[in-house]
Amino acid sequence: MERHFDEELSGLKSRLLKMSALVEEVISRSVKALVERKAELVEEVIKNDEVINMLEIEIDELCLKLLALYQPAAVDLRFVCSAMKINNELERIGDQAVNIAERAREVIKEPLLKPLIDIPRMGLLAQKMVKDAIDALVNKDDVLAGEVCRRDDEVDSLNNQIFRELLTYMIEDPKTITRAVELILVGRHLERIADHATNISEDVIYFLKGKNIKHHLEDQ
Amino acid sequence: MERHFDEELSGLKSRLLKMSALVEEVISRSVKALVERKAELVEEVIKNDEVINMLEIEIDELCLKLLALYQPAAVDLRFVCSAMKINNELERIGDQAVNIAERAREVIKEPLLKPLIDIPRMGLLAQKMVKDAIDALVNKDDVLAGEVCRRDDEVDSLNNQIFRELLTYMIEDPKTITRAVELILVGRHLERIADHATNISEDVIYFLKGKNIKHHLEDQ
């Protein structure tokens, strides 16, 4: 029984890693579609979302099966429950990447508004947060998880900067408005991805320390 | 043991109902703050978010306790796992209401852009979706849950309409840009609330029918 449970648990971990790798890939491709103006990447991101959605259901069902069959306790119970939550966060990150790809599809139909510098930077930061949050889970590294939470502020302020800059474009030339609004929304989507990565890190800390740090990180 | 579990389960249900009532209230107040230009409501929404956040943690811990102590099976296991997810969705809805309140705080500093008709309509729709999703859970009503999922399209198209209308304002008069962008973001936040209500309904259907309808609702 014990051995079976351990096998199932390692199957769960490897599926979460696969899910995370897929999600990191769609973040990267959606931003690339926008920056390099490649419509074929938009369609790739949308197609890959199907795979991510199916994997989410598979992981969810595996978690329920583990709870039902093995009735894990203590740290194992926390791991399975955290895995359910993290799985859900990863799927939502995939949805945000689809949103970015859909924005990219509109933006690249029109002339370039400006060279995009901060958006790809923000994309890389957000993607790294997702990667590190999952690494923190796999390596049981609560220090790394805490660091990911703190990086959220950096993404937020970059998003604010993008927002303000695009406002000035719109005010100077109304012809830029639709494109600028699309880019503002891309900034928001990336900010949401960073939020989800922060949620994952909080779940990791909960799993590792049995302590809920949500909503009062500043007290840490 | 059985009786204790049933008592704990009904405690869980009443906490979820309380959480939902709080969340419906902040949606309503955040939109009211914007429409009626009341700064004091902004602060109320932000203050109430604390209460919602603490209740989320309480519900989460109760779910884990139920899993650990009683190792529920079948429909009870599905209920506890669904409750964890629904709890999380409700908390995120609360966050969206805070976002709306923060937008309201900016918007009401400037002169009225236009009378707001569609945004409060969208607010009412989104709030009703949350209420009905939780009613579907409590009354085990999968038909109502399915209906909530379908109403998501209505909110999406209303959001699209708001978006397009505000674009025309910005193009005609650049002085309206910052306010119009804030209102576009409010539309987005309301759309997200409707998405969360849809997620809750999907969780309700999963709990009731043991069938995952996520990602392929159109096949139903």
Side-chain angles (χ1 to χ4, degrees):
Chain A
M1 194 75 166
E2 180 88 11
R3 194 170 55 83
H4 283 155
F5 178 70
D6 287 345
E7 272 169 22
E8 298 263 30
L9 214 56
S10 90
L12 173 59
K13 272 179 207 164
S14 71
R15 276 181 189 80
L16 273 177
L17 278 174
K18 187 177 159 197
M19 179 89 174
S20 170
L22 284 169
V23 163
E24 287 162 42
E25 186 63 31
V26 288
I27 302 171
S28 160
R29 280 192 201 173
S30 65
V31 175
K32 202 169 169 188
L34 178 74
V35 176
E36 300 184 5
R37 305 171 74 78
K38 285 188 172 149
E40 68 274 20
L41 285 180
V42 171
E43 304 316 317
E44 268 181 51
V45 169
I46 290 167
K47 223 177 74 191
N48 265 344
D49 195 46
E50 290 273 305
V51 184
I52 292 172
N53 290 345
M54 289 303 115
L55 189 55
E56 186 208 4
I57 294 179
E58 190 187 325
I59 291 174
D60 217 35
E61 285 174 356
L62 180 55
C63 289
L64 270 168
K65 182 183 147 194
L66 285 176
L67 291 175
L69 278 187
Y70 301 97
Q71 288 133 10
V75 67
D76 289 333
L77 174 61
R78 288 208 306 275
F79 180 76
V80 176
C81 289
S82 302
M84 284 180 84
K85 291 181 186 180
I86 290 168
N87 181 37
N88 187 248
E89 301 286 348
L90 287 171
E91 190 270 333
R92 281 156 195 252
I93 295 175
D95 286 345
Q96 296 292 332
V98 169
N99 289 338
I100 294 171
E102 285 170 349
R103 300 282 145 213
R105 191 197 271 147
E106 298 307 311
V107 170
I108 64 186
K109 280 181 196 158
E110 298 195 57
L112 191 68
L113 173 65
K114 64 179 284 286
L116 300 175
I117 310 292
D118 285 336
I119 285 181
R121 238 178 85 200
M122 205 173 155
L124 281 178
L125 279 173
Q127 190 185 337
K128 186 79 176 20
M129 281 174 73
V130 176
K131 187 182 183 310
D132 287 347
I134 298 295
D135 281 351
L137 174 74
V138 173
N139 303 325
K140 301 189 177 178
D141 183 346
D142 63 298
V143 177
L144 182 59
E147 205 204 284
V148 172
C149 295
R150 277 183 296 275
R151 268 186 257 155
D152 194 32
D153 288 340
E154 202 180 327
V155 173
D156 284 354
S157 72
L158 204 46
N159 183 41
N160 242 313
Q161 184 179 317
I162 291 171
F163 180 75
R164 281 166 202 286
E165 190 194 359
L166 288 166
L167 276 186
T168 64
Y169 274 87
M170 291 196 274
I171 291 167
E172 275 167 29
D173 177 8
K175 280 200 298 298
T176 65
I177 287 177
T178 45
R179 278 168 293 167
V181 169
E182 297 288 349
L183 293 176
I184 285 175
L185 293 174
V186 169
R188 286 258 138 190
H189 295 314
L190 288 170
E191 192 202 349
R192 298 282 312 163
I193 290 176
D195 286 346
H196 289 302
T198 305
N199 293 343
I200 293 175
S201 299
E202 288 172 353
D203 289 329
V204 170
I205 292 171
Y206 180 72
F207 152 59
L208 293 174
K209 308 186 99 176
K211 199 164 94 184
N212 200 325
I213 63 150
K214 273 190 197 178
H215 311 308
H216 43 79
L217 188 61
E218 62 279 11
D219 305 340
Q220 295 292 299
Chain B
M1 194 76 167
E2 180 88 9
R3 194 170 57 82
H4 284 153
F5 179 69
D6 287 345
E7 272 168 23
E8 299 262 31
L9 214 55
S10 91
L12 173 58
K13 271 179 207 168
S14 70
R15 276 181 189 79
L16 273 178
L17 277 174
K18 186 178 160 196
M19 179 89 173
S20 169
L22 285 169
V23 164
E24 287 163 44
E25 186 62 32
V26 289
I27 301 172
S28 161
R29 279 191 202 173
S30 65
V31 175
K32 202 170 168 185
L34 179 73
V35 175
E36 300 183 6
R37 304 171 75 78
K38 286 189 172 147
E40 69 272 24
L41 286 180
V42 170
E43 304 317 316
E44 269 182 52
V45 169
I46 289 166
K47 222 177 73 191
N48 265 343
D49 195 46
E50 290 274 305
V51 184
I52 292 172
N53 290 344
M54 289 303 115
L55 190 54
E56 187 208 3
I57 293 179
E58 190 187 326
I59 291 174
D60 217 34
E61 284 173 356
L62 179 56
C63 288
L64 270 167
K65 182 182 147 197
L66 285 176
L67 290 175
L69 278 188
Y70 301 96
Q71 288 131 12
V75 66
D76 290 333
L77 174 61
R78 288 209 307 274
F79 181 77
V80 177
C81 289
S82 302
M84 285 180 84
K85 291 181 185 179
I86 290 169
N87 180 38
N88 186 247
E89 301 286 349
L90 287 171
E91 190 271 334
R92 282 155 195 251
I93 294 175
D95 287 345
Q96 296 292 333
V98 170
N99 289 338
I100 294 170
E102 285 170 349
R103 300 285 143 209
R105 191 196 271 146
E106 298 307 311
V107 170
I108 66 187
K109 279 181 199 159
E110 298 196 59
L112 190 68
L113 173 64
K114 64 177 286 286
L116 299 175
I117 310 291
D118 284 337
I119 284 180
R121 238 178 85 200
M122 205 173 153
L124 281 178
L125 279 173
Q127 190 185 335
K128 186 76 174 22
M129 281 174 74
V130 177
K131 186 182 183 308
D132 287 348
I134 298 296
D135 282 351
L137 174 74
V138 174
N139 304 322
K140 303 189 177 177
D141 184 344
D142 62 298
V143 177
L144 182 59
E147 204 204 284
V148 173
C149 295
R150 277 183 296 274
R151 268 186 257 155
D152 193 32
D153 288 341
E154 204 179 326
V155 173
D156 284 355
S157 71
L158 204 48
N159 183 41
N160 242 312
Q161 185 179 316
I162 292 169
F163 180 75
R164 281 166 202 285
E165 190 193 359
L166 289 165
L167 276 185
T168 64
Y169 275 86
M170 293 196 274
I171 290 167
E172 276 166 27
D173 178 8
K175 281 199 299 296
T176 66
I177 286 175
T178 44
R179 279 169 292 166
V181 169
E182 296 288 350
L183 293 176
I184 285 174
L185 293 174
V186 169
R188 286 259 137 188
H189 294 314
L190 288 170
E191 192 201 348
R192 297 283 311 163
I193 290 177
D195 287 345
H196 289 303
T198 304
N199 293 342
I200 292 175
S201 300
E202 288 172 352
D203 288 329
V204 171
I205 291 171
Y206 180 70
F207 152 57
L208 293 175
K209 309 186 98 175
K211 200 164 94 183
N212 199 325
I213 64 151
K214 273 189 196 176
H215 310 308
H216 43 82
L217 187 62
E218 62 280 9
D219 305 341
Q220 296 290 301

